[in-house]
Amino acid sequence: MSDQGAVPAVGPARIGRGSWLLAVVTLVVVGIAGVLVGSVAIDPTSALKGLADGLPFISLGSGLSEVQERVLFEIRLPRVVIGGIVGSILAVAGAGYQGVFRNPLADPYLLGVAAGAGLGATFVIGAGGGSGFIPPVAFVGGLLAVLATYVLGRTAGGRTVTSLILAGVAVAAFATAIQTFLLQRNYETLREVYSWILGRLVTVGWGEVLVLLPYALVAGAVLVLHRRLLDVLALGDDEAAGLGVDVVRVQRIVVVAATLATAAAVSVSGLIGFVGIIVPHTVRMLTGWSYRLIIPLCLLYGASFLILADLVARTAVAPAELPIGVVTALLGAPFFVVVLRTVRGSQ
Amino acid sequence: MRRTALLIALLFAAACSPAESGDITTSQASSTTVVETTTTSAQTTTTDSNGFPVVVTDANGEVTIEDEPRRIVSLSSTATEMLFAMDAGDQVVAVDEFSVYPGEAPITELSGFTPDLEAIVEYEPDLVVISYDPGELVSGLSVVGVTSLLLSTAASLDDSYAQIELLGEATGHAGEAEDLISEMQIGIDRILAATVVPPGISFYHEIEPTLYSASSSSFLGQVYALLGMENIADEADPDGFGFPQLASEYVVSSDPDLIFLADSSMGVTPDSLAERPGWAEMTAVQGGAVAILDEYLASNWGPRVVELLQSIADAVTTLAPVT
């Protein structure tokens, strides 16, 4: 690569190949497990044959019943795919935010996306609108909140990152307050809002995949293309500017891409916490501090993590469901501690 | 639009609700003994008119009602229905914002879920009936000298009868309460006798669009259980929690014969069910065996459970597959 000389070696570049392989294998294994396991028992061999039958030019005769086929292709498969996409988005957006703000605690919900989207969802549910209206209104709510954060941050403190983050905190508090007020006025809708806040992948289908995919592709591409610039930003604003990088422009592009994608993900899946913090930091601990590796690996491990969390949410109390947000926190927090201790111990 | 009872049961009272409501018993025996020993004129004590003071046992323990209540505030729509059905309506001065039945109930802006102590006290109540205590309502009322009764979400018909009996004791309408209970029992028996339920019929009851359902451990599930249908939510609720959230693939593969919707106010219709991934080919969706229930009826546990049972029975009669 031509710009390799310009970027100091921040992380161990040679780890590369093994990390890739591990990440891809993990995703494939978790993805297949996600499709094979569910509250409805389907013979794994038949299920695999059924999946293969779905591919062009293959006909193995899976022997699946008609109901099993519907469960597999219309309910489980889209759910695994959605889980993967949402996980990827949240993880990579988290990594992007952490890079841009040079703050290890930055997460995809930092600038008020979650609060704004939550307010939008509460509004729809409280007004008695059908659940089909939740995603678009949540999306708009998330975007408006971020816009407010941006305007507020600019007018209050110029271009500094701190003023932006503080504005985000203010906007989030404001939106949450309105949401709480609306909830207090409409107790009967409390549970639906509640289940949305804890994340819901219960009734997603291929329609949601189509909604989400464009945002995921654009955001993923933008962040992957900016991964080297994030490494440069890590040196500090002045150093980055000295190396010829338009710091503000890079920050803005990354934040817009990550925010758009987060708003889209949240609108479909509800608020799923922890992914945007845990996955990037775990990847960082395993592979070092270079965003050249972190960004693409976050795409892969984020997908694996959320598919796995959803698998647990679907099967732990099958045929009932657990809220996925509970699972990501329950699984994620201890796992994070283990990784932290292991890495510290080996250093 | 009102499913607060189920909501509260789910969010707040999860584990304790069946146990609590199971504890509710009227201590009729002990209260009459107390009365008999303190009163000299012997035989009039058992009549409705004035057996006070009485001791009843609500979800919190024993409560002594010193005198016949004249100014009752009800913050529970179920309690409101019970009180009016046992002719204690005259003694009720205010009911909460969700007590829309019966129409003559003095509905106010009082809230049962974010109760405002001052606003309640303003009605100068001598008895406050609630179905949910967010934390300090009962103790707050007792500080200002107001007696309260906590009648939590019922988990069975027997719980409901016990609450009616208790309210009858507490308000001086024990006789009417007994009549009401037997009226309900007769109504239920009549419906059960008139309804032919094809053997092996299964159903799915939906509380809200993210597939929360009611198992046989809930009051609602108990009403269904009277008809002897198989509730697909039962398998998802081994701990008897009452309101499990089902997996979509489980509902689809269970392929229930009947679907009951208690969430039509949230935009769920028989047509919108068909739009859910994998649901269009379900037997009930294809055959139109989807019934919309009155959400208000389906979330209360009062005397109108008979009407609820009737609407379920009607759906079974008209929609269930003939075997």
Side-chain angles (χ1 to χ4, degrees), chain A residues 21-39:
Chain A
L21 197 63
L22 184 63
V24 171
V25 169
T26 307
L27 180 56
V28 170
V29 169
V30 169
I32 289 177
V35 176
L36 293 189
V37 184
S39 55

Side-chain angles (χ1 to χ4, degrees), chain B residues 155-158 215-227 231:
Chain B
S156 67
L157 270 173
D158 284 341
S215 77
S216 297
S217 301
S218 65
F219 179 77
L220 193 57
Q222 292 278 302
V223 177
Y224 279 105
L226 292 172
L227 289 164
N231 186 342

Side-chain angles (χ1 to χ4, degrees), chain A residues 107-119:
Chain A
D107 81 344
Y109 301 151
L110 186 69
L111 298 183
V113 184
L119 179 56

Side-chain angles (χ1 to χ4, degrees), chain A residues 76 184 187 191-192 321, chain B residues 7 10 114 245 249 266 278:
Chain A
R76 234 185 252 173
Q184 292 278 310
Y187 323 101
R191 190 183 42 231
E192 205 191 353
E321 297 238 357
Chain B
L7 168 79
L10 189 78
T114 50
Q245 183 179 23
E249 62 178 59
M266 319 204 68

Side-chain angles (χ1 to χ4, degrees), chain B residues 58-63 75 115 117 120 128-151:
Chain B
D58 77 350
N60 283 330
E62 287 197 349
V63 178
L75 300 183
L117 195 56
I120 296 169
V128 177
V129 187
I130 61 175
S131 60
Y132 163 67
D133 185 351
E136 56 288 317
L137 181 56
V138 171
S139 54
L141 283 167
S142 78
V143 166
V144 294
V146 177
T147 309
S148 59
L149 288 174
L150 173 58
L151 304 180

Side-chain angles (χ1 to χ4, degrees), chain B residues 122-199:
Chain B
E122 216 167 40
Y123 288 95
E124 296 176 16
D126 47 16
L127 180 66
V128 177
V129 187
I130 61 175
S131 60
Y132 163 67
D133 185 351
E136 56 288 317
L137 181 56
V138 171
S139 54
L141 283 167
S142 78
V143 166
V144 294
V146 177
T147 309
S148 59
L149 288 174
L150 173 58
L151 304 180
S152 317
T153 312
S156 67
L157 270 173
D158 284 341
D159 283 352
S160 174
Y161 295 146
Q163 292 187 2
I164 291 173
E165 210 178 327
L166 184 154
L167 277 179
E169 291 278 310
T171 59
H173 292 270
E176 288 101 321
E178 292 303 330
D179 294 346
L180 177 60
I181 292 170
S182 43
E183 208 177 290
M184 287 167 68
Q185 285 166 335
I186 291 168
I188 288 171
D189 289 344
R190 190 172 296 150
I191 294 169
L192 294 182
T195 311
V196 181
V197 182

